């Protein structure tokens, strides 16, 4: 699927007291070679799970009032995004966006 699609996300750091939380505000999956600007679909999910930037040295900027000021960067996929890429293939979609009920990255809901 990595040969057909790109995965990007908006990642930031949320400081709560003495704890830093890594968050993802938006994710975008796009078919390579397609120049569309509009999304075919928007998914609303619970949390970003384990998706993170591909650059392991990426410095998470602090949360800002305007998420559009935070850069969108290449991201590593998690199993859920791979499933969405498979769905994109079946539906012939070129671009989708993912937003979450919670931006906190966590592998499971109890975290």
């Amino acid at each position: 699927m990595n040969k057909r699609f790109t995965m990007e996300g908006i990642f930031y750091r949320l400081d709560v007291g003495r704890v830093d939380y890594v968050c993802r505000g938006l994710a975008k999956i796009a078919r390579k070679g397609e120049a569309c600007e509009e999304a075919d679909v928007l998914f609303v999910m619970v949390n970003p799970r384990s998706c993170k930037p591909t650059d392991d040295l990426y410095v998470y900027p602090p949360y800002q009032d305007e998420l559009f000021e935070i850069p969108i960067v290449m991201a590593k996929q998690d199993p859920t995004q791979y499933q969405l890429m498979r769905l994109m293939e079946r539906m012939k979609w070129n671009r989708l966006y993912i937003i979450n009920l919670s931006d906190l990255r966590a592998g499971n809901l109890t975290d």
Side-chain angles (χ1 to χ4, degrees):
M1 289 297 173
N2 289 335
K3 293 179 181 179
R4 294 184 208 140
F5 296 98
T6 61
M7 174 73 190
E8 297 175 299
I10 294 175
F11 299 92
Y12 62 92
R13 179 175 32 89
L14 184 62
D15 299 323
V16 179
R18 294 183 178 182
V19 180
D20 272 356
Y21 293 100
V22 177
C23 301
R24 189 193 73 205
L26 173 80
K28 176 178 82 171
I29 302 174
R31 186 180 301 275
K32 292 180 179 179
E34 295 293 328
C36 65
E37 290 298 318
E38 292 186 17
D40 294 297
V41 65
L42 171 70
F43 279 89
V44 179
M45 304 186 97
V46 176
N47 67 336
R49 294 197 42 139
S50 58
C51 180
K52 63 182 182 177
T54 56
D55 180 358
D56 289 331
L57 300 177
Y58 179 74
V59 176
Y60 296 92
Y63 175 78
Q64 300 171 14
D65 289 334
E66 190 60 50
L67 278 178
F68 294 109
E69 294 175 10
I70 300 174
I72 189 163
V73 298
M74 296 303 295
K76 295 178 183 177
Q77 300 89 352
D78 66 22
T80 301
Q81 280 117 23
Y82 278 117
Q83 292 292 353
L84 291 175
M85 289 175 192
R86 288 185 188 97
L87 181 60
M88 288 177 74
E89 277 292 297
R90 284 188 162 183
M91 301 302 294
K92 308 286 191 250
W93 293 333
N94 292 319
R95 179 176 294 210
L96 70 77
Y97 289 104
I98 305 166
I99 59 174
N100 298 284
L101 298 176
S102 168
D103 284 358
L104 295 175
R105 286 181 49 235
N108 62 53
L109 292 177
T110 57
D111 291 345

